[in-house]
Amino acid sequence: MARKETSENPGRLAQIVQTYKMTRQADSKIGLVIAAVGIVTFGVILALGFLIGHPIWAAILGLLLALLAMAVVFGRRAERAAFGQLEGKPGAAAAVLQNIGRGWTVSPAVGMNKSQDVVHRAVGKAGVVLVGEGNPNRVKGLLANEKKKVSRVVYDVPVHDFVVGNGEGQLPLKKLRATLLRLPRTLSGPKTTEVNDRLKSLGDLMSNMPIPKGPMPKGMRMPRGR
């Protein structure tokens, strides 16, 4: 049983290796970049250590800072690669929403039309957030309809809406999570639970909608704004 649990729940190292392999498929220079960052950081700190007469302490500090710098650069490039693979895929916005973190309840595909434009719903202390993806013109109509439905059920709660995309007036996929986390928190925990319960009456159209999971390995961190 223990072996089975280990295989189903890989450790941190296995997650890092998996993320690195995924990133390398989209960013072939990831290994060289990380190595260069580590070497340069360590070299600069060590050189400063020799100048001030404390090379040993500088070497220890340089090693720690080099590892930190490598981790930061690796994380950012891994996030960029993940978003690159998610971009344009059906359910990409839902994949990001479902990795937003604790305190949010996400309902994918609460609205959809024949052209497969979709609206997803997330509920948190910021209120209700509706996120549309697909053709901008068609999605706006979907969002408006879904916003009316939500407002009838939770008329006393803020309802935010966004269209994911790279066009004018749209929200880039890579900024979706950070944008939601920056929304002002207006609801208490119990109130959030109440809103979720009231919205369950609306249901959803496609609870089994395929959401891309390949580009989002377990443990992948989402960007926190640029």
Side-chain angles (χ1 to χ4, degrees):
M1 179 65 68
R3 291 183 179 179
K4 183 178 180 181
E5 290 179 356
T6 301
S7 62
E8 291 179 352
N9 299 288
R12 174 66 62 181
L13 181 59
Q15 293 175 18
I16 293 175
V17 172
Q18 181 184 12
T19 302
Y20 176 80
K21 290 180 178 179
M22 182 276 298
T23 304
R24 191 173 58 181
Q25 294 177 356
D27 186 355
S28 60
K29 296 181 179 180
I30 181 67
L32 292 175
V33 171
I34 293 175
V37 168
I39 292 172
V40 170
T41 303
F42 178 78
V44 170
I45 300 299
L46 184 61
L48 291 175
F50 275 107
L51 288 176
I52 63 177
H54 295 284
I56 296 179
W57 289 109
I60 297 174
L61 178 61
L63 179 60
L64 295 176
L65 291 179
L67 292 174
L68 177 61
M70 292 167 68
V72 170
V73 172
F74 172 63
R76 289 181 177 178
R77 295 181 81 99
E79 289 168 0
R80 188 185 308 167
F83 281 122
Q85 294 186 38
L86 278 172
E87 199 88 44
K89 288 187 177 180
V96 174
L97 289 173
Q98 290 180 330
N99 282 272
I100 194 174
R102 297 178 59 184
W104 288 87
T105 301
V106 177
S107 300
V110 294
M112 187 174 186
N113 59 23
K114 294 181 180 179
S115 300
Q116 296 188 351
D117 303 307
V118 186
V119 173
H120 312 294
R121 185 179 68 229
V123 180
K125 291 186 177 181
V128 180
V129 178
L130 301 175
V131 179
E133 58 178 329
N135 181 280
N137 296 324
R138 294 193 300 258
V139 165
K140 288 180 180 178
L142 270 178
L143 277 173
N145 291 334
E146 194 62 33
K147 195 168 184 177
K148 289 179 181 178
K149 294 179 184 177
V150 170
S151 297
R152 285 198 295 265
V153 177
V154 288
Y155 53 86
D156 55 342
V157 173
V159 179
H160 312 272
D161 60 278
F162 303 96
V163 177
V164 170
N166 296 313
E168 185 178 355
Q170 298 177 345
L171 181 65
L173 183 66
K174 64 181 180 180
K175 294 184 178 181
L176 176 58
R177 181 179 185 274
T179 298
L180 265 63
L181 292 178
R182 285 198 296 264
L183 291 173
R185 299 185 178 187
T186 58
L187 305 182
S188 63
K191 181 64 175 180
T192 302
T193 301
E194 178 191 336
V195 170
N196 270 314
D197 291 341
R198 287 158 65 182
L199 286 174
K200 285 181 181 179
S201 62
L202 293 179
D204 60 59
L205 295 179
M206 293 191 64
S207 58
N208 296 318
M209 178 183 176
I211 298 173
K213 293 186 174 67
M216 298 291 294
K218 186 177 180 181
M220 173 69 72
R221 294 174 62 87
M222 287 287 95
R224 299 183 181 276
R226 290 291 189 272

